[in-house]
Amino acid sequence: MKIGFPRALFFFDYFPFWAGFFHCLGIEVVTSPATQRQIMEQGLKKVSDETCLPLKLLAGHIQALKDVDAIFLPRMVSVELDTYNCPKFLGIPESIVSAVPAGIPILTVVLNWRKGQRQVLKDLQIFGIQLEKSKLEIRKAFSEGQAWQKQYQDSMGAGWDFEESMRKIEDASKGLQHAPSVVESTPSIPVTVQTRERLRIALVGHSYLTQESYANRNLLGRLREKTEVELVQHVSQEDVDTNLLGLRKKLFWNHAKQIFGAGNKFVRDREIDGIIYLSCFGCGTDSLVQDMLARKAREQHKPYMVITLDEHSGEAGLVTRLEAFLDMLERRRTHESYVSTYGECLDRDSNTL
Ligand code: SF4
């Protein structure tokens, strides 16, 4: 059996789990190719204009899956206790059903960690009936999936390269090797350069935007050419949790929590010269979190820029904004101690001298 797995949305955080799960069951997983213009255009035709860019890309990737026996679209309600995924994750697969090519069945399962591991396993075992797998086989596959996911997450520190890690996981899921060795992966792009002469920028936002190089016009690659880059994935869970303390109310969306916790850490980190928040049109959680983070950045006088992507985002505009931001940071670093003879500063509440 060949299962199609779209390279969008949940792919960027949870593919290792599903790859390990299906690999253990002896099911081949076929992923759609990296995003290109045609994939995006096909996606735009199948979902409403108001929806967010990642969901439009998901619709395109579903249509790019050829020669598969079924398309796998899990409903990932929650991935940890006390939080939910964004409502758009919960609406899958119904909200995206129009994008599925005629004649190809959808395979789906509910994954809700709020109800605990026992319930997750039970739901997977019910799903296993469709795959003609026994409860025992599903239990084994579940453990294998968790092991792959853990190995992948443990590799998210310094030196981690998403593309390289994914390649290894995909090779393993095709049976080229038994388990992914993402921890020892050698990054194809130098992720950190040990010289503080370069600026250090934190790029925060959903993994399916920061790692989606077609949609973000290779923003991450451009930044890595000129600066050292920190991502949300580089921040440990302990640091994320510490930096969530002090909020009057808990954030209950998983991604929003990770982004705000990591972003708040970057705001306080004196080694970080500036923060870029990569958001997308139509994202409800970003509209809240990017403003909360902007307030924190203002308090700490940390340079902060929001880039909002949509399907019309042009390369020239993005490059201009990026270069202006980096130039501003360079100037700030050079002239930081300069105090105007006209006064201590002209505007107490901004970064302007
Ligand atoms: S969190 Fe935002 S970008 Fe992600 S699926 Fe939900 S609305 Fe879309």
Side-chain angles (χ1 to χ4, degrees):
M1 189 181 194
K2 256 196 221 170
I3 288 186
F5 199 106
R7 188 185 288 268
L9 208 66
F10 37 74
F11 171 86
F12 290 91
D13 285 317
Y14 311 118
F15 180 68
F17 172 79
W18 294 113
F21 179 80
F22 289 121
H23 176 67
C24 187
L25 294 175
I27 295 173
E28 188 181 342
V29 178
V30 179
T31 49
S32 51
T35 310
Q36 334 124 5
R37 189 182 177 83
Q38 198 193 4
I39 290 182
M40 186 184 283
E41 282 175 359
Q42 281 183 325
L44 296 179
K45 290 180 194 155
K46 295 291 179 183
V47 289
S48 78
D49 289 346
E50 290 76 30
T51 200
C52 64
L53 181 66
L55 220 69
K56 290 172 180 167
L57 291 174
L58 176 66
H61 278 274
I62 289 173
Q63 293 166 82
L65 286 164
K66 310 275 182 227
D67 303 324
V68 292
D69 300 309
I71 293 177
F72 183 58
L73 296 173
R75 190 196 310 280
M76 304 196 66
V77 176
S78 159
V79 290
E80 59 172 5
L81 290 176
D82 294 332
T83 57
Y84 279 110
N85 276 334
C86 152
K88 290 192 176 128
F89 273 74
L90 274 61
I92 295 169
E94 289 83 358
S95 62
I96 208 86
V97 85
S98 60
V100 179
I104 303 187
I106 297 175
L107 279 178
T108 188
V109 58
V110 177
L111 208 82
N112 187 352
W113 278 93
R114 276 181 73 95
K115 294 192 174 170
Q117 174 156 332
R118 230 175 162 171
Q119 185 60 41
V120 172
L121 179 60
K122 217 167 154 188
D123 289 334
L124 286 172
Q125 284 171 334
I126 296 170
F127 172 56
I129 298 170
Q130 290 180 63
L131 303 173
E132 297 176 1
K133 301 291 175 189
S134 70
K135 284 188 177 179
L136 193 67
E137 285 173 303
I138 296 290
R139 185 185 286 272
K140 261 183 74 183
F142 179 52
S143 306
E144 186 79 355
Q146 282 183 298
W148 284 35
Q149 183 73 25
K150 182 171 182 315
Q151 210 171 350
Y152 170 68
Q153 278 172 348
D154 289 349
S155 73
M156 286 179 172
W160 169 72
D161 181 75
F162 176 80
E163 292 297 334
E164 181 70 11
S165 301
M166 280 298 140
R167 250 193 309 278
K168 291 190 179 242
I169 287 164
E170 281 172 291
D171 286 351
S173 74
K174 286 173 196 148
L176 300 182
Q177 62 187 87
H178 183 252
S181 52
V182 288
V183 178
E184 310 97 46
S185 72
T186 318
S188 51
I189 306 165
V191 176
T192 50
V193 176
Q194 297 304 328
T195 158
R196 196 54 189 96
E197 274 159 27
R198 282 161 50 107
L199 290 167
R200 182 171 283 153
I201 305 294
L203 179 65
V204 297
H206 299 285
S207 53
Y208 40 82
L209 286 176
T210 56
Q211 308 289 347
E212 173 48 83
S213 50
Y214 179 82
N216 69 26
R217 301 292 183 255
N218 195 24
L219 178 65
L220 184 54
R222 289 176 203 277
L223 270 175
R224 279 178 173 161
E225 276 171 21
K226 297 186 174 174
T227 66
E228 295 172 41
V229 186
E230 296 289 340
L231 297 169
V232 172
Q233 290 84 352
H234 296 164
V235 181
S236 70
Q237 194 55 48
E238 207 184 341
D239 278 342
V240 168
D241 293 340
T242 311
N243 283 282
L244 287 169
L245 299 175
L247 280 179
R248 281 198 219 151
K249 199 176 167 198
K250 275 191 196 169
L251 285 167
F252 52 83
W253 302 295
N254 176 265
H255 278 117
K257 213 176 106 178
Q258 296 299 117
I259 294 170
F260 182 77
N264 200 13
K265 176 188 177 288
F266 293 139
V267 164
R268 293 156 195 262
D269 187 341
R270 298 180 72 88
E271 290 293 303
I272 298 289
D273 296 300
I275 298 176
I276 299 177
Y277 193 115
L278 190 61
S279 173
C280 65
F281 171 77
C283 176
T285 63
D286 273 359
S287 63
L288 183 77
V289 176
Q290 54 112 330
D291 189 61
M292 287 165 66
L293 215 50
R295 290 172 196 219
K296 293 281 176 195
R298 217 172 295 140
E299 276 169 27
Q300 301 290 329
H301 285 204
K302 181 78 77 182
Y304 179 82
M305 174 168 77
V306 178
I307 295 180
T308 306
L309 296 174
D310 67 12
E311 57 272 26
H312 308 295
S313 298
E315 197 160 331
L318 189 133
V319 171
T320 310
R321 288 192 65 198
L322 189 63
E323 285 182 356
F325 187 66
L326 297 183
D327 284 351
M328 183 271 286
L329 294 184
E330 281 291 0
R331 271 207 307 279
R332 188 176 197 251
R333 195 158 66 163
T334 316
H335 301 297
E336 178 84 327
S337 53
Y338 168 73
V339 178
S340 159
T341 49
Y342 295 103
E344 196 184 340
C345 57
L346 296 178
D347 177 0
R348 266 169 39 87
D349 298 323
S350 80
N351 295 321
T352 324
L353 268 177

